[in-house]
Every structure is written in C-alpha cells, then in structure tokens.
C-alpha cells in the first residue's frame, strides 16, 4: 500500500473517531443537563419510557403468538 493510501485510511479512521465523539456529545450532554437540572422529572421520564418499551415488547410478543 502506498503512503497516500495509508494516509487516506488514517484520515478515515480519524474522521470516524471524530464522528463518534460528536455523536456522543450531542446525545449525552442534553441527557446529563436534564438529569442534573431536574432529577425528579428526569427519573419520571426515564421510568415512563422504560415502562412504555416493556409494554411495547409484551404487546408485540402477544400479537406474534396470536398470529401463529
């Protein structure tokens, strides 16, 4: 592999790392800010979302068994 090809691979890896860091900051910072500024509301929201996901999977399981 030539030096130019290795450099391009290095830049792609560096860009991927930068994209991962940027995505992490975009996702984590608002959640952290929300959890530190309003912990009770954050807890309620997280519990409601968790309950909704669990309920969704239970309903999906029931519907898939009815179809069979």
């Amino acid at each position: 592999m030539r030096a130019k090809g290795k450099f391009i691979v290095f830049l792609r890896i560096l860009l991927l790392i930068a994209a991962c860091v940027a995505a992490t900051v975009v996702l984590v910072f608002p959640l952290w800010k929300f959890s530190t500024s309003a912990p009770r509301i954050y807890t309620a929201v997280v519990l409601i979302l968790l309950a909704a996901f669990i309920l969704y999977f239970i309903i999906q399981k029931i519907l898939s068994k009815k179809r069979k």
Side-chain angles (χ1 to χ4, degrees):
M1 190 180 244
R2 294 181 11 215
K4 183 179 178 182
K6 288 181 182 181
F7 184 67
I8 290 174
V9 169
F10 172 73
L11 284 180
R12 284 183 181 171
I13 292 171
L14 197 61
L15 183 63
L16 178 63
I17 291 171
C20 289
V21 169
T24 301
V25 169
V26 167
L27 292 173
V28 171
F29 180 73
L31 290 174
W32 170 79
K33 187 68 174 164
F34 181 36
S35 69
T36 56
S37 63
R40 288 183 182 215
I41 297 172
Y42 177 78
T43 302
V45 168
V46 169
L47 289 176
I48 289 168
L49 289 174
L50 182 64
F53 281 127
I54 291 171
L55 186 62
Y56 172 77
F57 286 120
I58 290 172
I59 291 172
Q60 285 295 104
K61 194 71 152 178
I62 290 170
L63 290 177
S64 69
K65 286 189 177 190
K66 275 189 174 182
R67 291 179 191 153
K68 290 181 180 181

